[in-house]
Amino acid sequence: MNVPPFSLSQQIDDLGSDLEEAVLGVLRSGQYIGGPQIKAFEESFAERVGTRHAVGCNSGTDALVLALRALGIGSGDEVITCAFSFFATAEAISAVGATPVFVDVDPDTFLIDLDQVEAAISDATRALMPVHLFGRAVDMTRLMALASSHGLRVIEDCAQATGTQWKGQPVGSFGDVGCFSFFPTKNLGAAGDGGAATTNDDSIAQTMRELAVHGMPRRYLHTALGYNSRLDAIQAAVLNVKLGRLSTWIEQRNVIARRYRDQLTELPGIKLPENQEGHSWNQFVLRIQNCPTGQPLCNGQCSPSAISSSHGLPESYCRDWLKQYLHDRGVNTIIYYPIPIHRQPAYEHLGYDSGSMPNTERLCSQVLSLPIFPELSELEQQHVVSALHQLYGRNQAVEQEPLAA
Ligand SMILES: *Cc1c(COP(=O)(O)O)cnc(C)c1O
């Protein structure tokens, strides 16, 4: 059996003719830019998130850029975020000319450590950009209180958290703007790139709309230097079909996560992700804290020379070895993310040294994402679980050999 980390084939089969009709409908209509599919999607998505507006755009990255621009954030401004995320979080801040200021994460939640935010606030700080990483919500009660006591704007990076709630309220409805990605592997994926920015503020929504179309409030009048960042009608049509299934998919992700958590307890050295009410489980991320058996997991194979894919962090050899071990047994995993943003070559100029974000750096050498997607079958999941159990079984057998001899 071969278990992929993510697959859409079952979902496409399930959606069947609905998807075909939606896509062909757009093709036949000739309305590829704008039109009723876009309007319908923006309205239903806003309703789903619980905001007055949703502005469709080209990607989650663009949603972040549009949000920053609409809030007037640019050169000389600082935005506080975390370095344990996809690169686009910080990239968007830099793209508008502002500077990302990184704060370490809590190693148990993988999320920005709110205890450390206050110390990072300077005279130049304009906004906080929390990331609801892997589908788990940041404590928005606390973050909003922090932001309002310092007069800061809040842009939520909800790219991995469509369907996530904090205290029963959807993420993307707390801050000034919520930014969503419809990249195919996200909780609500388009058939290509897509994104949306949600807000309750009429004027922010209007500005984002205009910026997404060349800063053009009416035809050929340009009041700002904007972008070409529309959501395609064909993507909106796909999303309109899929949005109706989102709740079911989130429930299925929760079932899969619960099963992993029930069946993988007490594997030494492997820390399971904590549950949280409202989690949408975009990823199920293990932490390989050391050689998981307490014995060398890998019988000494977990060394730099044995690992071709190692990212060069000493602690990662065991994780990388485990990834290979699982791969050899048909279990395909992914590392989100092997290199922290503050240590990326593109951010060398910001001057963050190795060791400046200890939790983030350690996580990058420890994390491993198990297969999770709504259509993952119980049989496939069982295969993943037994591959992990076998690892311990094998090591116990090795350990017992001297006794038997
Ligand atoms: C995917 C992602 C983005 C960017 O979204 P795109 O649609 O790929 O541009 C931003 N932030 C995070 C945390 C993401 O996971």
Side-chain angles (χ1 to χ4, degrees):
M1 187 183 280
N2 201 45
V3 186
F6 174 79
S7 168
L8 283 169
S9 51
Q10 183 66 45
Q11 187 179 103
I12 299 304
D13 283 352
D14 292 348
L15 294 169
S17 61
D18 287 0
L19 216 46
E20 283 164 25
E21 274 168 36
V23 170
L24 281 173
V26 173
L27 285 180
R28 292 193 178 117
S29 77
Q31 177 122 44
Y32 303 157
I33 305 282
Q37 291 286 351
I38 300 285
K39 193 167 185 309
F41 177 69
E42 288 181 338
E43 281 173 13
S44 1
F45 194 70
E47 190 184 328
R48 165 87 208 198
V49 177
T51 49
R52 285 171 59 82
H53 306 278
V55 177
C57 64
N58 189 269
S59 66
T61 307
D62 281 7
L64 293 167
V65 169
L66 295 171
L68 288 156
R69 284 284 310 275
L71 294 172
I73 294 168
S75 178
D77 296 333
E78 292 178 356
V79 178
I80 297 175
T81 189
C82 55
F84 190 55
S85 181
F86 179 57
F87 189 68
T89 304
E91 190 183 31
I93 298 169
S94 301
V96 303
T99 304
V101 171
F102 300 114
V103 162
D104 209 356
V105 293
D106 176 331
D108 294 324
T109 63
F110 306 118
L111 305 176
I112 189 165
D113 182 351
L114 297 181
D115 287 336
Q116 297 189 39
V117 168
E118 205 138 20
I121 296 173
S122 78
D123 290 345
T125 308
R126 293 284 314 283
L128 305 180
M129 188 182 282
V131 183
H132 306 297
L133 198 71
F134 305 143
R136 184 186 167 118
V138 170
D139 178 342
M140 289 309 291
T141 316
R142 216 181 134 197
L143 185 132
M144 291 310 293
L146 201 61
S148 86
S149 73
H150 292 272
L152 302 174
R153 300 291 207 160
V154 174
I155 297 164
E156 295 176 70
D157 184 338
C158 307
Q160 299 184 11
T162 307
T164 296
Q165 301 191 337
W166 170 253
K167 305 269 187 225
Q169 182 182 332
V171 299
S173 64
F174 290 90
D176 294 281
V177 186
C179 300
F180 292 84
S181 166
F182 307 124
F183 186 84
T185 60
K186 308 291 166 98
N187 289 345
L188 178 66
D193 278 310
T198 53
T199 184
N200 284 315
D201 186 304
D202 299 350
S203 110
I204 293 173
Q206 187 56 30
T207 308
M208 292 195 295
R209 258 183 216 297
E210 292 172 12
L211 284 171
V213 190
H214 308 288
M216 188 167 70
R218 61 167 207 266
R219 189 163 287 196
Y220 305 134
L221 171 72
H222 302 270
T223 52
L225 301 174
Y227 311 89
N228 177 354
S229 183
R230 289 172 284 236
L231 180 65
D232 289 326
I234 214 159
Q235 298 303 347
V238 169
L239 291 166
N240 278 326
V241 171
K242 287 184 157 201
L243 186 58
R245 313 280 182 114
L246 180 64
S247 299
T248 309
W249 289 336
I250 302 293
E251 278 167 34
Q252 286 168 322
R253 286 178 179 276
N254 269 275
V255 168
I256 293 164
R258 196 173 315 126
R259 242 188 250 137
Y260 273 142
R261 284 173 43 77
D262 288 346
Q263 297 178 4
L264 294 177
T265 45
E266 292 165 26
L267 294 186
I270 294 183
K271 190 166 184 305
L272 302 175
E274 290 172 0
N275 193 20
Q276 174 171 285
E277 193 62 34
H279 206 314
S280 68
W281 294 104
N282 182 247
Q283 296 298 330
F284 189 92
V285 181
L286 304 178
R287 281 173 65 195
I288 313 308
Q289 293 178 301
N290 49 43
C291 287
T293 56
Q295 314 292 325
L297 159 81
C298 45
N299 292 319
Q301 295 172 75
C302 139
S303 65
S305 57
I307 303 291
S308 52
S309 71
S310 177
H311 301 285
L313 301 162
E315 283 184 80
S316 74
Y317 299 139
C318 226
R319 184 269 313 271
D320 292 357
W321 182 87
L322 180 60
K323 184 177 184 353
Q324 185 65 43
Y325 173 94
L326 291 172
H327 175 80
D328 294 344
R329 282 149 191 83
V331 175
N332 298 287
T333 58
I334 299 190
I335 297 167
Y336 297 112
Y337 294 92
I339 305 172
I341 299 177
H342 68 288
R343 298 293 294 156
Q344 292 288 353
Y347 276 129
E348 212 179 308
H349 63 281
L350 294 181
Y352 288 90
D353 293 329
S354 162
S356 56
M357 307 278 145
N359 294 336
T360 297
E361 289 162 39
R362 184 162 304 116
L363 286 177
C364 287
S365 68
Q366 292 183 335
V367 288
L368 192 64
S369 297
L370 294 184
I372 190 165
F373 52 94
E375 299 78 14
L376 181 74
S377 73
E378 214 170 331
L379 207 65
E380 287 174 312
Q381 195 177 8
Q382 198 46 56
H383 185 73
V384 176
V385 168
S386 31
L388 279 161
H389 282 152
Q390 269 166 30
L391 171 72
Y392 288 87
R394 185 208 65 165
N395 276 13
Q396 272 157 22
V398 169
E399 206 181 317
Q400 280 160 15
E401 257 169 21
L403 293 174

